[in-house]
Amino acid sequence: MQDLVKAAIAARAKAHAPYSKFFVGAAMRDEHGHVHGGCNIENAAYPQGWCAEPSAISHLIMAGGTKVTEVVVMGNGDTLCTPCGGCRQKIREFAKGDVKIHCCTESGALIQTFTLDQLLPASFGPENLT
Ligand code: THU
């Protein structure tokens, strides 16, 4: 998990969050074991900004990953920063319910670990369309 923590800290340092000043870093492991970071990127037209998690998912997909197997997310200080509702669904597209989502402080200390199923129970996913 330390490689994910390191990547999330590095990603968070790049966050573009001049409006909320809430800097978020995320890191996701793919099925090959590779780690991909992402940060939130806000916009002067507020609704056009996006979260750290979809940034990480974009990197994972573009690097050839197809599955999310482990996640780390961190916000400001010691605040518990769980993925927002939309991000839970975005992670769900590529992750099984037992995938662990570790919520950490901005310096990388673990606050709490959840499974995706805990954060998004009875979820709707790709299998529902087959
Ligand atoms: N944010 C994330 O990056 N991920 C989340 O799951 C929660 C919220 C960002 C969006 C916005 O840039 C800032 O945090 C404040 O909501």
Side-chain angles (χ1 to χ4, degrees):
M1 180 191 153
Q2 277 319 303
D3 53 350
L4 283 172
V5 167
K6 240 178 117 174
I9 290 172
R12 183 175 174 277
K14 297 189 167 142
H16 176 72
Y19 309 108
S20 73
K21 305 216 181 322
F22 193 72
F23 302 90
V24 184
M28 302 191 188
R29 193 184 310 285
D30 68 22
E31 72 272 31
H32 311 295
H34 298 143
V35 168
H36 311 275
C39 62
N40 54 332
I41 304 177
E42 297 182 349
N43 192 284
Y46 292 173
Q48 299 305 323
W50 66 89
C51 290
E53 294 88 336
S55 293
I57 290 172
S58 296
H59 285 134
L60 182 147
I61 295 296
M62 289 306 295
T66 62
K67 290 181 177 65
V68 172
T69 62
E70 195 176 6
V71 178
V72 163
V73 184
M74 55 184 59
N76 282 358
D78 294 349
T79 314
L80 178 68
C81 181
T82 54
C84 76
C87 287
R88 295 175 194 198
Q89 186 66 39
K90 288 184 177 81
I91 294 167
R92 170 68 180 87
E93 184 69 16
F94 303 104
K96 295 262 188 296
D98 63 354
V99 162
K100 288 191 167 88
I101 299 173
H102 309 289
C103 300
C104 295
T105 68
E106 70 167 63
S107 52
L110 179 65
I111 304 173
Q112 199 170 343
T113 297
F114 302 90
T115 64
L116 179 59
D117 268 343
Q118 286 175 311
L119 295 180
L120 194 69
S123 65
F124 185 89
E127 310 77 36
N128 295 89
L129 297 178
T130 55

